[in-house]
Amino acid sequence: MFEAKSSRKRLGEELVERGLITKEQLWEALRTQSKTGDRLGVVLVRMGVVSNHDVDGILGICPSVSLDSIDSTLLKTVPEQLIRKYQAVPVKRDGQTLTLAMADPSNVLAMDDFRLILGCEVEPVQVSVEEIESAIQKHFGIPQFDKAFDDFDLQVAADEEDEQDDHNLVDDAPVVKLVNSIFLQAIDMNASDIHLEPQESGIRIRYRVDGVLREIAHLPRKIRPAVISRIKIMSEMDIAEKRVPQDGRIPLKAGTREIDLRVSTLPTTYGEKVVARLLDKSGMQNYRIEQLGFQPENLKKFRSALRNAYGMLLITGPTGSGKTTTLYAALNQINTIERNIVTVEDPVEYMLVGINQTQVNVKAGMTFAAGLRSILRQDPDVIMVGEIRDGETADIAMRAAITGHLVLSTLHTNDAAGCVGRLVDMGVEPFMVSASLLGVVAQRLVRRICTECKGSYQLPEHAPERQFMGLDATAPVTLYRGAGCTRCGNSGYKGRVAIHEVMMVSPALRPLISANKPADVLKQKAVEQGMITLKADGIYKVLEGITTVEGVMRVAYVGEE
C-alpha cells in the first residue's frame, strides 16, 4: 500500500465516506499509528477493518506491470540490500531503459541509485508494497529466516565432530533467531497453523494458509533437536519428556499485533512433531456478523435468533471451519451494558471487552459441565459454551436454554439437521431438544479468489462441475478463477469466506424433532420452508465470483445431497 500521494487525513476521510470504516475505527487507527509510526493503511489492515484491496483502490494503486515475469539475471546485477531498502524491484531492461517497480515512484534518491548502478535511465512503475514484498520474498527469501538458518548452520558445522545435547544448543542465539523467524514468517503469511514434521532426512516446515498446507522449508537433521527443544522451552513444556504428547502456549507480539500460539507435540517415528495454531487477538474485538459471508436471507435468520431472550443457538462444522469466529462475532453483536454475558471455553482464544470468560481446567475439576453449573448461579443473560462434548454438558445447557437464558455453543456434525440426532445420542430427550433449540448454523470455509489475478472463463460443455452445480450440460456459463500472482503466492486464492446452512426450528419442525425423526426428514422439511443448504450457498458464491467450483467441491460433505 502506497500513501505518498495521500495524507493520513485524506485516506481516512475517504474510507469513512465510503462506509468502509467508522470514525471511531479511524481515530483508533490514528492513535495506533502515532505509537508505531506505520502507514495508516497498514494499521487499518492489521486491525481487520479493511483489506489491502480496499486501501490500494482508494490510493489509486493499479499495477501496469506484472512482477511474475521479472528478469532474474537482471536482479543479480543489483545489490539485494538496495532493493529491500527502497522497496523497488527491477523488472526488465530494454536497451538503456530500466523498468523499475516501486512502492513510491516519487523517490528520486532510489531512482538515482539504480541509475548509477546500472548506467541507464529509470522508468518507474507504481506497484503496491504487498506485491513488492512478495516478489522480494520469492527471489531472495525472507531475510530473517535465511540469515538465522545460515548462522545456525555455521554454529553446528563448527562443532560437527562434538556430541551436543539439546541443552547446549537451545540457549545459543542462532537457534533462538531461527525459531523466531519461523514464527514471524508464518505471521507475515497470515498462516493459521505451523507444522514442524520430523522425517528421516531432517525436519519439514509447513504452514496452513487459507486452509491449505504449503511447504516452506526442509531443514537438515542436525537442526531438529535444537529447534524442537527451543519451541518446547518457549511453550513451558518438559524438554526431557519425549514419550508423551504435551500442550503449551507462546504469547508473541509482532508490531501492533498480539499473537497467541497454542502448541502441541506428538511423538512420531523420527521424533516429536510440533503443531502451533496462531490466534491473532488484535482483529476479533471489532468483528461483526456482517463480515461472516452470510447471504441476506441467512443473515436475517441469524440476527432474528440472536434477538431471542432464551433458547439455544448452535454452530456446527468440523475443526477449523470458523465456528469460534462466528460465536465471537455473535457475542459482539449482542454485547450491551444491559446484558450479563458469561462464557466457558477450552481454551479462551480471544479476550472480549465486557464479557466474562472462563477457562476450562480439567485437572482442577473445572469441566464444561462444572463451569456451566457455576455460571447459572452468576445471574447470566447470555451463556456461551465453547463446545458441547458430552451428555452432561448438553443436558445442563438445554435446561438453561428453557429457563430464561440465551445459550450459544458449538457441536461437531456434518450439517444442521444432523445436530438433533447428535444431541439425542448424547442422552438428551428429543422433547427437550425440540423445546430449547432455536436454530442451527452449519458452516464450512472456502478459499476466496484473489482479486488481483481474478479472471473469467467459460465452463466447458458436459464438464463434471455442471452436474455438481445442477446446470444444463450445454448452456453457456461464466465462472471465475485466479491465474496466480505474487500477492496470492501464485495460488489464485487470497483469504477465506464461509458458506452456511441456517436451519431455524419452526413450528413445523418441532413435532418432527420431538418424534425423533431422522436427519434427512428434518432437512427435507427445512428445505421446503426455504433453508439454503451448504451446497446451494457454495454454488451461489461460485456464480457470484467469490470462490471456485473446485473450492466448494473440495469441502467435505457438501457434494453429497
Side-chain angles (χ1 to χ4, degrees):
M1 292 165 294
F2 169 56
E3 297 182 37
K5 292 184 178 179
S6 179
S7 66
R8 295 186 316 179
K9 182 178 179 182
R10 186 176 174 188
L11 171 62
E13 285 180 347
E14 186 69 25
L15 288 167
V16 172
E17 287 177 6
R18 296 192 186 189
L20 295 173
I21 64 172
T22 64
K23 290 184 178 179
E24 291 75 16
Q25 290 170 333
L26 174 59
W27 282 112
E28 182 182 348
L30 291 172
R31 283 194 295 269
T32 302
Q33 186 192 33
S34 66
K35 298 176 183 177
T36 64
D38 292 329
R39 294 184 179 92
L40 179 62
V42 173
V43 174
L44 287 167
V45 171
R46 285 177 180 169
M47 287 172 58
V49 296
V50 294
S51 67
N52 285 321
H53 181 68
D54 293 331
V55 177
D56 289 349
I58 289 176
L59 296 171
I61 296 181
C62 302
S64 57
V65 64
S66 172
L67 298 189
D68 295 326
S69 55
I70 294 175
D71 185 350
S72 56
T73 306
L74 179 61
L75 282 183
K76 296 177 182 178
T77 63
V78 182
E80 178 187 342
Q81 183 180 1
L82 192 71
I83 292 174
R84 293 188 184 277
K85 176 183 177 181
Y86 291 122
Q87 291 284 280
V89 179
V91 178
K92 63 180 179 179
R93 181 171 180 172
D94 186 6
Q96 290 300 307
T97 302
L98 171 72
T99 301
L100 185 65
M102 303 180 68
D104 182 3
S106 64
N107 192 331
V108 179
L109 293 176
M111 288 187 281
D112 286 343
D113 283 353
F114 277 93
R115 186 181 294 111
L116 288 171
I117 290 174
L118 297 175
C120 60
E121 292 302 315
V122 173
E123 180 182 326
V125 179
Q126 185 175 322
V127 177
S128 68
V129 170
E130 189 176 76
E131 285 203 273
I132 293 284
E133 290 177 346
S134 296
I136 293 174
Q137 177 181 327
K138 177 181 177 181
H139 292 278
F140 297 105
I142 293 181
Q144 298 92 338
F145 186 90
D146 293 342
K147 187 177 186 307
F149 174 72
D150 290 342
D151 290 346
F152 187 88
D153 201 31
L154 289 172
Q155 174 74 32
V156 176
D159 302 317
E160 200 167 34
E161 296 181 0
D162 298 329
E163 188 70 26
Q164 301 186 37
D165 61 24
D166 294 346
H167 293 277
N168 290 333
L169 286 174
V170 294
D171 292 328
D172 288 339
V175 72
V176 173
K177 293 178 181 177
L178 179 59
V179 171
N180 288 346
S181 67
I182 292 172
F183 293 155
L184 290 174
Q185 182 177 354
I187 294 170
D188 288 341
M189 294 178 65
N190 290 319
S192 61
D193 300 88
I194 303 171
H195 290 244
L196 289 90
E197 302 164 327
Q199 299 177 333
E200 185 177 9
S201 59
I203 181 168
R204 179 172 66 173
I205 300 176
R206 294 195 291 174
Y207 297 159
R208 188 175 294 279
V209 182
D210 295 337
V212 178
L213 282 171
R214 299 182 187 178
E215 184 166 340
I216 302 301
H218 195 285
L219 304 181
R221 182 177 180 179
K222 56 191 174 186
I223 289 179
R224 187 172 63 205
V227 170
I228 301 301
S229 295
R230 173 61 187 169
I231 293 175
K232 291 175 71 175
I233 287 175
M234 294 176 72
S235 309
E236 297 184 350
M237 298 181 188
D238 182 0
I239 65 170
E241 180 57 77
K242 302 179 181 179
R243 301 166 297 173
V244 297
Q246 297 187 64
D247 294 299
R249 172 178 173 269
I250 305 174
L252 290 179
K253 192 162 186 178
T256 58
R257 299 170 66 185
E258 292 186 7
I259 309 294
D260 202 15
L261 272 70
R262 302 298 168 90
V263 185
S264 170
T265 67
L266 178 71
T268 67
T269 305
Y270 294 110
E272 291 177 285
K273 180 181 187 292
V274 176
V275 174
R277 169 150 291 188
L278 287 77
L279 303 173
D280 188 346
K281 296 184 175 182
S282 58
M284 190 55 64
Q285 190 65 50
N286 299 313
Y287 212 78
R288 295 291 180 264
I289 59 175
E290 292 81 8
Q291 299 172 256
L292 297 174
F294 282 104
Q295 283 196 47
E297 183 61 28
N298 283 341
L299 182 60
K300 182 180 178 181
K301 292 178 181 178
F302 192 47
R303 279 177 169 159
S304 176
L306 292 174
R307 284 195 292 268
N308 281 272
Y310 61 89
M312 175 175 279
L313 180 62
L314 292 174
I315 316 295
T316 76
T319 301
S321 60
K323 298 189 298 296
T324 302
T325 300
T326 301
L327 273 183
Y328 281 13
L331 291 180
N332 282 333
Q333 178 78 13
I334 60 178
N335 184 14
T336 63
I337 197 69
E338 296 86 8
R339 283 193 177 99
N340 177 25
I341 303 176
V342 189
T343 76
V344 54
E345 307 171 57
D346 183 25
V348 175
E349 295 189 6
Y350 304 97
M351 301 301 295
L352 302 178
V353 175
I355 294 176
N356 308 284
Q357 297 173 264
T358 307
Q359 170 74 52
V360 165
N361 188 339
V362 177
K363 292 181 179 179
M366 181 62 173
T367 61
F368 276 115
L372 194 48
R373 285 196 194 92
S374 298
I375 287 172
L376 290 172
R377 296 191 289 270
Q378 291 287 314
D379 185 32
D381 296 299
V382 180
I383 301 170
M384 191 272 268
V385 183
E387 182 183 346
I388 294 178
R389 297 177 179 174
D390 53 66
E392 185 180 13
T393 304
D395 185 66
I396 299 170
M398 289 289 177
R399 293 184 186 280
I402 61 176
T403 55
H405 307 91
L406 178 62
V407 180
L408 309 179
S409 190
T410 69
L411 201 63
H412 287 275
T413 61
N414 287 330
D415 62 354
C419 179
V420 175
R422 182 79 180 94
L423 290 169
V424 173
D425 287 343
M426 287 182 174
V428 181
E429 293 293 338
F431 75 88
M432 283 285 291
V433 179
S434 172
S436 60
L437 197 60
L438 293 171
V440 184
V441 178
Q443 68 179 57
R444 301 288 191 279
L445 292 178
V446 294
R447 294 186 289 174
R448 285 182 181 270
I449 300 172
C450 175
T451 55
E452 293 298 316
C453 58
K454 178 179 175 179
S456 62
Y457 71 100
Q458 292 298 313
L459 186 64
E461 295 182 0
H462 303 287
E465 293 87 348
R466 288 179 177 270
Q467 182 178 358
F468 171 77
M469 298 174 69
L471 301 174
D472 183 81
T474 58
V477 179
T478 301
L479 299 182
Y480 302 86
R481 60 189 171 199
C485 63
T486 54
R487 182 171 185 174
C488 62
N490 293 310
S491 66
Y493 299 95
K494 185 71 174 178
R496 288 190 289 178
V497 65
I499 57 175
H500 301 95
E501 181 176 278
V502 181
M503 185 184 81
M504 303 307 296
V505 180
S506 64
L509 273 175
R510 292 196 188 279
L512 298 178
I513 294 174
S514 296
N516 198 18
K517 294 294 184 181
D520 56 347
V521 174
L522 299 178
K523 184 172 184 177
Q524 182 179 350
K525 175 59 71 173
V527 170
E528 289 174 3
Q529 295 185 318
M531 183 182 78
I532 302 170
T533 65
L534 280 168
K535 178 179 178 180
D537 192 27
I539 292 172
Y540 168 81
K541 288 181 169 67
V542 168
L543 296 174
E544 287 293 304
I546 298 171
T547 186
T548 63
V549 63
E550 294 85 3
V552 175
M553 292 176 71
R554 177 179 171 273
V555 178
Y557 177 77
V558 173
E560 301 177 19
E561 298 219 338

